[in-house]
DNA sequence: GACCGGCCAG
DNA sequence: CTGGCCGGTC
């Protein structure tokens, strides 16, 4: 028996928006500690990892580990039937062949009940090594999205150059070149507009803008994004919702 | 060496929006006095003339005349990477093979640096004769845009009939006819909403609405537009931004 | 069906 | 001024 009630249902809706273009089918691995989703993207270039800890739900109950194999496109269609203010409850019985979704409107005068057929998905479970990164950049997620969108005009790839003084994003294409530099900056009135850089070593790496742009669909989930970089190691792009949830993307450098 | 800093960068963004559908490639003729662009539209029916005087920049420096041949579509893409509040600096070194653009955010924690490859464009320099016009109509630019949009429903062309008492725009098409009359009107509280007509002789001329509609993309540049008309002479449609900049369109009558 | 532009709301 | 939504065009 699995049951998880999420008072801020829009969180789940946004997560699906942030993942569905990258992955078509994936397991929701439900356990006592929460719900995890981990999958390579369809072209096996990027990795997505979502964690929703049990503490983020109320109540949360999961008697035994269950991998719920979901077609994300179908799930997304069903989630579009939930209002943004709805409370969403996920349910699965031990047979594990359907996922139940209940959408309750805030004033409880409307209840939607949906069932999604589940599927068996080969669990290619991916150990992600814990890395000490050489550079950690925290910046407004909207800024990151803007930079990806802007530089995509110039080229298909972007080079990140992180120094103590700032992070510089550079692209070069057929009709010209572009570069955006962000300086560390603390806005006390507006913490979410701040940019910070920690590094043990300056780093220069190049990535596909197509994937970064897909990652930046997570912008509505968090005001800030954190980039973790090391030479010859996949970039980690992390959106933390609060202490009980995150979405992480990994992308190998070019 | 050419360098021009424009504190209101959105001006340049809007100018490109107002020109790019008419002209694909053009020279930015940079000289001591400012930046001029003059080009026939792609079908050689209309003429666009933009002038940005040196006084509108701070600082402005141009050591020698340089025609910077630009693909306006590429330039427009790059300008979309500038924020609406950004300060824009244009730069070209004496080789003149790239145009540099620097976008500085208002609080200076974000800098975009772009380079656009330049091209050689045959300078068909167009002498525009100074004309004494028979009729000069000044009106709200939004009104002009609205009239073009409205009458385009009726026909592909519009007839301007200017009398002392008013200007009448008339179209006639397969399913009906339309006419809009504007009377001179001075709104003291709101100068920009006024309409005025000066004439030495009444004038009746017919023009392509397609081009007038393209001209009216300049509406965001100025609250007022001025129409200069004479029999058998191209219409001049002028948007003056302030004393240091204008965009003018010329269109031969049908 | 996808992309771009215009309009409306926060 | 920015972001999201809707409509139109390619």
């Amino acid at each position: 028996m699995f049951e998880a009630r999420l008072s801020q249902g829009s969180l789940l809706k946004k997560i699906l928006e942030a993942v569905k273009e990258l992955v078509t089918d994936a397991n929701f691995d439900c356990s006592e500690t929460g719900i995890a989703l981990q999958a390579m993207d369809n072209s096996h270039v990027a990795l997505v990892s979502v964690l929703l800890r049990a503490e983020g739900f109320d109540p949360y109950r999961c008697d035994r580990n269950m991998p719920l194999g979901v077609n994300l496109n179908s799930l997304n269609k069903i989630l579009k039937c939930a209002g943004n203010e709805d409370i969403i409850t996920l349910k699965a019985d031990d047979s594990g062949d359907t996922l139940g979704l209940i959408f309750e409107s805030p004033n409880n005068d409307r209840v939607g009940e949906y069932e999604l057929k589940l599927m068996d998905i080969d669990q290619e479970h991916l150990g992600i090594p814990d890395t000490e990164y050489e550079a950690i950049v925290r910046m407004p997620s909207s800024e990151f999205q803007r930079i990806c969108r802007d530089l995509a005009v110039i080229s298909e790839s972007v080079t990140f150059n992180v120094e103590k003084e700032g992070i510089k994003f550079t692209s070069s294409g057929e009709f010209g070149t572009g570069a955006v530099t962000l300086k560390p900056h603390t806005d006390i009135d507006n913490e979410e507009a701040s940019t910070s850089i920690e590094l043990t070593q300056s780093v220069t790496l190049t990535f596909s803008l197509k994937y970064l742009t897909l990652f930046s669909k997570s912008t509505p989930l968090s005001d800030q994004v954190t980039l973790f970089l090391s030479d010859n190691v996949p970039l980690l792009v992390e959106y933390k919702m609060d202490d009980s949830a995150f979405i992480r993307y990994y992308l190998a450098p070019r």
Side-chain angles (χ1 to χ4, degrees), chain A residues 1-132:
Chain A
M1 178 63 181
F2 164 69
E3 180 169 338
R5 183 181 146 108
L6 182 63
S7 54
Q8 192 197 351
S10 62
L11 177 66
L12 199 57
K13 288 164 68 89
K14 288 176 193 161
I15 286 174
L16 259 96
E17 287 298 323
V19 168
K20 69 167 205 289
E21 305 212 17
L22 229 29
V23 180
T24 56
D25 301 307
N27 281 321
F28 282 70
D29 289 311
C30 303
S31 71
E32 210 181 329
T33 59
I35 306 172
L37 178 153
Q38 240 181 55
M40 298 295 290
D41 87 287
N42 296 326
S43 338
H44 283 248
V45 172
L47 174 75
V48 193
S49 171
V50 179
L51 183 62
L52 304 168
R53 288 186 226 278
E55 306 87 270
F57 299 91
D58 184 23
Y60 185 88
R61 173 183 166 192
C62 184
D63 300 341
R64 64 178 187 79
N65 291 1
M66 297 175 84
L68 306 178
V70 165
N71 175 285
L72 296 184
N73 196 25
S74 305
L75 176 56
N76 192 44
K77 282 182 185 160
I78 289 179
L79 285 172
K80 290 207 169 146
C81 306
N84 274 327
E85 309 303 315
D86 284 2
I87 297 157
I88 297 184
T89 303
L90 306 175
K91 280 189 183 175
D93 59 28
D94 284 335
S95 75
D97 51 9
T98 63
L99 174 65
L101 296 105
I102 302 170
F103 306 150
E104 297 170 88
S105 68
N107 46 338
N108 233 324
D109 55 357
R110 181 178 189 279
V111 178
E113 293 173 90
Y114 296 81
E115 292 221 333
L116 174 66
K117 287 187 187 148
L118 297 179
M119 53 205 290
D120 274 329
I121 297 174
D122 275 351
Q123 187 75 324
E124 34 165 353
H125 207 87
L126 308 139
I128 300 171
D130 247 354
T131 311
E132 282 292 322

Side-chain angles (χ1 to χ4, degrees), chain A residues 167-188:
Chain A
I167 176 166
K168 183 169 185 178
F169 303 87
T170 312
S171 290
S172 171
E174 42 179 74
F175 67 78
T177 65
V180 180
T181 306
L182 234 51
K183 288 184 212 144
H185 163 85
T186 307
D187 191 329
I188 298 173

